[in-house]
Amino acid sequence: MILGDLGADVIKVEDIWHGDDTRRWGPPFQGDDAAYFLSVNRSKRGLSIDMKTPEGRDIVQRLARRSDILIENFRPGTAARLGLGYAELASGHPGLIYASVSGYGQTGPSAHLPGYDAVAQAVSGMMSITGEQEGQPVRTGFSSADIGGGMFAVIGILAALHVRDSTGRGQYVDISLMDGQIAWLTYVAAKYFATGVTPGRHGSAHESLTPYEVFPAADAPLMVAVGSDGLWRRFTAATGLDELTDDPRYATNPDRVRNRDTLRPRIEKALATRTSAEWTELLGAAGVPAGPVNSVPEALRHPQVAARDMVVELEHPVAGTLKTLGSPIKLSGNPPSIQRPAPVLGQHTDEVLAELGFGGDDIAALRAKSVVR
């Protein structure tokens, strides 16, 4: 989807029976497809093929020979068994960039296992550090392993395109959902390496910074992010906690982290005197990062979201007018644009086959044999 928004002609290849599993990840549904599917499949054309037939494999092989990039997310080894593996396709197309996104990657003792977002979050340790301190481990409220895997794939693909510009050769990009989640552990893993202490859950708080968490204001929760001693001084001045500014228990961040249990009640008492909106304005004016804990509808209605074109409308051939999220990538020269809504199953099959040189009779014959839809 990211590559499509950036201007690539992306062709999504699906089976002829049900297509992408996420078409049925509902309710809710809009038209015939789940809102989930529609949210991540825009800017793509849709081609529906039975790749288990010789004719279907031939179509995909012909398409790959014309393509700069092939992306697949079968379990390792499946694409090769279908005659669509990197070695086979690259032998006749050395410039092909071939990206595989799988649960555990193409190597290692777990490579053969099926992988899903929630499992990657669990196995990687991400769930063990997410949630309230005394609560159960929880997954993120969105598919962080899937989305992170896709983002890492885009980075690898763009790097491979850059290398190909100078060498003329493509390469294999091997992306693992678990690798991506492990990489996102960053400072959490660093703290474990440094201390040997198993990281735990801290709710909305930051284990290495204080105050850096959600506090109750007079009417609603407020997120406060004091990430430096300079911000601490601004924070205490804005909240009337001047007596704490140079208190040796709280003067530096390490002091505040060590004494957070005595500091937090003082901050809670001060913040309880005004509303979340009032504190957002006051702290923002003082240069202290803070903001309300918005619901999703509140966030999507935020004037900054509108100003940045992060909610847009599309016309879908079945579902009608759809709202979708805009691209977060802002480029001055060639900004991303949404090319089209997510395709219905097989929507562009005839169009793509014609571009590959198939005539009308050929396409009709393939459809009659249930090779394409």
Side-chain angles (χ1 to χ4, degrees):
M1 185 182 77
I2 295 170
L3 294 171
D5 286 352
L6 289 170
D9 177 16
V10 179
I11 299 169
K12 182 178 180 69
V13 181
E14 300 176 78
D15 66 45
I16 62 170
W17 302 282
H18 305 292
D20 186 330
D21 285 343
T22 64
R23 287 185 182 274
R24 299 176 300 285
W25 281 17
F29 291 87
Q30 293 175 281
D32 297 328
D33 294 313
Y36 191 112
F37 173 85
L38 297 171
S39 74
V40 290
N41 282 286
R42 66 172 188 242
S43 295
K44 306 174 187 180
R45 294 195 286 167
L47 173 64
S48 181
I49 299 178
D50 181 358
M51 288 185 288
K52 294 180 180 179
T53 65
E55 298 94 334
R57 286 194 295 273
D58 176 66
I59 291 169
V60 178
Q61 289 167 346
R62 289 169 66 169
L63 187 59
R65 287 194 291 270
R66 292 165 52 99
S67 299
D68 295 294
I69 304 157
L70 184 149
I71 306 171
E72 62 88 15
N73 71 329
F74 290 113
R75 201 183 300 189
T78 301
R81 288 194 295 272
L82 290 171
L84 302 171
Y86 174 66
E88 181 168 349
L89 295 179
S91 64
H93 183 3
L96 179 67
I97 294 165
Y98 190 113
S100 295
V101 183
S102 62
Y104 297 93
Q106 304 297 306
T107 59
S110 298
H112 67 288
L113 295 174
Y116 257 57
D117 171 270
V119 177
Q121 290 190 44
V123 176
S124 68
M126 288 290 284
M127 284 178 59
S128 76
I129 59 170
T130 305
E132 294 299 327
Q133 187 171 16
E134 302 303 324
Q136 293 295 313
V138 298
R139 60 178 288 274
T140 57
F142 65 97
S143 300
S144 63
D146 281 347
I147 295 171
M151 292 171 66
F152 284 122
V154 169
I155 293 168
I157 287 166
L158 294 178
L161 282 169
H162 185 65
V163 171
R164 194 182 70 176
D165 285 343
S166 58
T167 66
R169 299 192 67 84
Q171 58 184 294
Y172 188 62
V173 180
D174 174 9
I175 301 296
S176 153
L177 302 188
M178 184 176 177
D179 288 353
Q181 294 292 275
I182 291 289
W184 277 1
L185 290 175
T186 57
Y187 66 85
V188 177
K191 185 171 182 179
Y192 168 70
F193 292 147
T195 66
V197 176
T198 300
R201 293 181 292 283
H202 299 275
S204 67
H206 195 298
E207 60 182 329
S208 301
L209 294 169
T210 296
Y212 201 104
E213 59 187 286
V214 172
F215 292 93
D219 64 335
L222 176 76
M223 183 71 203
V224 174
V226 175
S228 70
D229 293 336
L231 286 174
W232 167 246
R233 304 185 77 84
R234 295 180 184 180
F235 175 76
T236 54
T239 54
L241 293 171
D242 304 85
E243 75 276 10
L244 301 184
T245 305
D246 296 312
D247 187 314
R249 294 173 297 172
Y250 312 124
T252 70
N253 183 68
D255 297 326
R256 294 191 294 277
V257 170
R258 282 191 291 269
N259 295 292
R260 72 168 77 216
D261 289 345
T262 58
L263 176 59
R264 197 178 196 282
R266 304 287 295 274
I267 295 174
E268 287 181 340
K269 183 177 179 180
L271 295 181
T273 61
R274 296 180 185 269
T275 67
S276 177
E278 289 172 330
W279 282 124
T280 297
E281 184 174 349
L282 284 169
L283 292 172
V288 178
V293 181
N294 285 329
S295 66
V296 171
E298 288 169 336
L300 295 177
R301 290 194 299 265
H302 196 290
Q304 184 68 11
V305 171
R308 299 286 289 176
D309 296 320
M310 285 306 298
V311 174
V312 297
E313 290 189 348
L314 295 175
E315 288 299 321
H316 188 275
V318 177
T321 301
L322 296 176
K323 284 188 176 181
T324 189
L325 301 181
S327 173
I329 302 170
K330 312 299 184 186
L331 299 176
S332 62
N334 56 315
S337 63
I338 298 173
Q339 307 299 312
R340 52 175 58 86
V344 299
L345 184 58
Q347 180 178 345
H348 303 98
T349 295
D350 289 12
E351 180 181 304
V352 174
L353 291 179
E355 293 170 4
L356 291 174
F358 289 88
D361 291 342
D362 298 325
I363 296 172
L366 289 169
R367 184 162 285 113
K369 293 177 66 176
S370 297
V371 174
V372 301
R373 173 170 174 170

